[in-house]
Amino acid sequence: MAAASSYASFELALLLQNYDNPNGFLETSITRWDPMTRVYLGRFAVPVSSSYKLALPSDAPGTVDLMGRLNSSVFEIRRYDYSTGMLVNVTSLSISTNSISEARFASSGNLLLSGNFSGTIAARLYSTSGALIRSYSNPSGTLEVLDAVQDGSGVTYVLTRQAGTTSNFKYTVSSYAQASSTLVNSTVVLDNSAERFHSLNLWNGILSVGKDVLSDRRFASVSGTTLGSFSPTGGWLVATDSMAPGHFDTLHGFGYDATNTRMVFSTARINTATGNTFEYRNGSTFQGISDSVIVLAPEPGTFVAVGLGLAALLKRRRRR
């Protein structure tokens, strides 16, 4: 954790969450935070529902994309300059969906979407123009596709949910070779689970699967399409509505405590129980965290956003 702490000012967390306006209505916003020091660096409002997902485009440094289902036949990508909050452009794609559980960019720059596509439950790869490239096959009995990630070589990993062997749910991670939609290997994360896993992260050959309590996440080593067994990390980190990987092998979690009154920041090693949980503030200013991404320096926008946030804090102190 000491190594991660030395990089505290070189990570910028962007959270999709509700801002509780003083006049009584909730406004969907992208908020900016330093995930290690928990310093608030400002926000900007976005005219979307909280069901949209955040993603960082590799071809446009300094921007963040909001991706989601505009209606049953249109998938929308709204690109923002995350330092200024300015809308850069809006792209509408002809993709038919009932719901989207996760939206990411694949290593190729194409769109990797998980969800229900007009009755077909799947993870799918689309071009940036909306053309379907492939639809990944599911393990038998799949009820829901929760998330998908792709490594730098194009190998894809998909997190799915099935009925438990005896009760509740079973969660499975499957692997797919580069440029293939055929399932190669599947490994059960946990069977007969009463709680819901929802987050799949990949770091340097380690897959981490998480749920609402960060310490309940499980991890496995992977090599291409070969999947290791998932092991629990243990620990005590709490309240993670959303998770995102940072520098080195850190994994940041953001959420609220059990009473939904205190915003929580958690940081842990992706494959161990080592870490800390930090309480920030009560829920009077912000509510509900739908998604998160971590911007890693040296992307210029990271420094710009931190500079703007610190300038705003200094201005506020001078006013006082």
Side-chain angles (χ1 to χ4, degrees):
M1 295 306 295
S5 298
S6 68
Y7 277 78
S9 62
F10 299 102
E11 295 181 347
L12 175 67
L14 302 175
L15 309 185
L16 183 63
Q17 62 182 146
N18 290 323
Y19 171 70
D20 194 356
N21 277 282
N23 56 5
F25 72 92
L26 294 178
E27 185 173 50
T28 307
S29 300
I30 293 178
T31 59
R32 297 178 293 235
W33 305 83
D34 184 316
M36 296 299 293
T37 64
R38 286 83 63 201
V39 171
Y40 170 56
L41 301 172
R43 74 171 187 98
F44 56 93
V46 289
V48 301
S49 72
S50 58
S51 63
Y52 275 58
K53 299 299 178 181
L54 294 172
L56 294 170
S58 59
D59 61 343
T63 66
V64 61
D65 284 355
L66 266 172
M67 303 196 290
R69 177 183 182 270
L70 182 62
N71 55 52
S72 61
S73 60
V74 177
F75 185 81
E76 181 182 55
I77 303 175
R78 304 178 65 88
R79 179 162 294 178
Y80 290 88
D81 182 315
Y82 59 72
S83 300
T84 64
M86 182 179 295
L87 179 64
V88 177
N89 58 53
V90 179
T91 303
S92 297
L93 305 178
S94 297
I95 299 176
S96 297
T97 59
N98 291 352
S99 63
I100 294 293
S101 56
E102 190 56 75
R104 300 176 182 261
F105 285 107
S107 57
S108 59
N110 293 312
L111 303 176
L112 187 57
L113 307 181
S114 306
N116 187 323
F117 301 88
S118 297
T120 301
I121 299 170
R124 286 184 169 183
L125 188 68
Y126 287 89
S127 73
T128 53
S129 63
L132 177 61
I133 298 174
R134 67 182 59 92
S135 183
Y136 297 94
S137 58
N138 293 322
S140 177
T142 291
L143 303 173
E144 187 178 9
V145 176
L146 301 165
D147 203 353
V149 295
Q150 194 175 90
D151 69 13
S153 69
V155 174
T156 304
Y157 307 96
V158 179
L159 173 64
T160 56
R161 177 175 65 88
Q162 296 82 33
T165 303
T166 59
S167 63
N168 298 309
F169 301 117
K170 177 171 67 175
Y171 294 89
T172 303
V173 170
S174 303
S175 62
Y176 307 79
Q178 180 185 21
S180 173
S181 61
T182 303
L183 189 155
V184 177
N185 283 306
S186 286
T187 299
V188 174
V189 178
L190 190 64
D191 199 356
N192 303 311
S193 172
E195 299 185 53
R196 290 178 62 86
F197 286 92
H198 53 67
S199 177
L200 183 64
N201 287 288
L202 175 66
W203 175 85
N204 197 27
I206 299 172
L207 277 175
S208 177
V209 178
K211 56 181 181 179
D212 293 338
V213 180
L214 184 59
S215 55
D216 286 341
R217 70 197 185 283
R218 291 174 173 252
F219 71 94
S221 298
V222 295
S223 177
T225 58
T226 302
L227 302 171
S229 298
F230 280 88
S231 303
T233 58
W236 51 277
L237 305 178
V238 299
T240 51
D241 298 326
S242 182
M243 303 178 200
H247 274 105
F248 302 111
D249 59 348
T250 57
L251 188 66
H252 298 291
F254 311 94
Y256 285 80
D257 66 358
T259 63
N260 202 34
T261 58
R262 294 179 298 181
M263 186 171 172
V264 173
F265 291 75
S266 296
T267 298
R269 290 285 177 86
I270 199 168
N271 61 337
T272 71
T274 305
N276 292 288
T277 295
F278 306 97
E279 175 189 318
Y280 174 68
R281 61 171 69 180
N282 64 32
S284 61
T285 304
F286 298 102
Q287 295 182 21
I289 297 171
S290 304
D291 202 16
S292 62
V293 291
I294 303 292
V295 185
L296 305 178
E299 189 169 296
T302 310
F303 299 105
V304 174
V306 170
L308 290 173
L310 293 178
L313 288 174
L314 291 173
K315 185 177 181 180
R316 184 182 304 171
R317 287 180 179 177
R318 284 196 294 267
R319 285 177 178 174
R320 292 176 179 174

